[in-house]
Amino acid sequence: MEDFVLSHSDPTTGLPVGPRTTRTAMADDFSSEEMLAAVLASVDDDKAEEVVQIDLRGRSDVADYMVICSGRSSRQVASISEKLAERIKENFRFTPKMEGKETGDWVLIDAGDVVVHVFRPEVREFYQLEKMWLPGSAHRGA
């Protein structure tokens, strides 16, 4: 019998939940690699800086990929995030969940199999999110 590992918490209750078992029906029309390519193209188009992509497959049940990037100001962070959400909605026919756009310091975009973090440089430096996920699996671009 396989061990069942509780991998993350339910945001509503805070209780641990098991690995995600299936993708949503809307996600069946595209692969996580297609979403990743669209995310990378979008942040590149909007001049995001220090773009890092991290392969989470086999390391996390939350998503297949994480993308971390920076904008030069709160305004650019919000703009990069808004444009990304618009492009995902237009191209993949669903609206990603977004948190933090109001302040523009750190915006989290949940695009299903790809989780995107857009930071102001100072905030990114403070949290150093890449250091938690980088070992041996990141690819730097831009």
Side-chain angles (χ1 to χ4, degrees), residues 76-85 98 101 107 109 118:
Q76 187 186 21
V77 167
S79 177
I80 290 167
S81 304
E82 287 171 3
K83 292 278 183 94
L84 175 58
M98 192 175 344
K101 189 182 72 136
V107 181
I109 301 115
V118 186

Side-chain angles (χ1 to χ4, degrees), residues 1 3 19-20 26 30 46 48 57 66 68 74 81-82 88-89 98 109 117 119 121:
M1 182 174 173
D3 289 338
R20 86 190 148 139
M26 65 188 156
F30 53 88
D46 293 325
R57 293 172 297 177
M66 180 184 297
I68 303 171
S74 295
S81 304
E82 287 171 3
I88 290 171
K89 185 175 181 177
M98 192 175 344
I109 301 115
H117 299 271
F119 287 98

Side-chain angles (χ1 to χ4, degrees), residues 128-139:
Q128 299 184 4
L129 191 58
E130 293 99 314
K131 288 188 178 184
M132 288 192 284
W133 294 100
L134 268 178
S137 66
H139 169 73

Side-chain angles (χ1 to χ4, degrees), residues 9-71:
S9 299
D10 180 295
T12 309
T13 64
L15 297 172
V17 296
R20 86 190 148 139
T21 54
T22 60
R23 293 169 34 150
T24 60
M26 65 188 156
D28 290 336
D29 294 340
F30 53 88
S31 69
S32 57
E33 289 77 15
E34 290 170 317
M35 178 61 75
L36 175 63
V39 165
L40 293 173
S42 180
V43 299
D44 183 59
D45 285 349
D46 293 325
K47 309 294 187 245
E49 299 177 345
E50 300 284 327
V51 178
V52 175
Q53 78 179 50
I54 302 170
D55 188 342
L56 300 177
R57 293 172 297 177
R59 296 173 57 198
S60 173
D61 294 317
V62 175
D64 290 342
Y65 297 98
M66 180 184 297
V67 174
I68 303 171
C69 62
S70 298

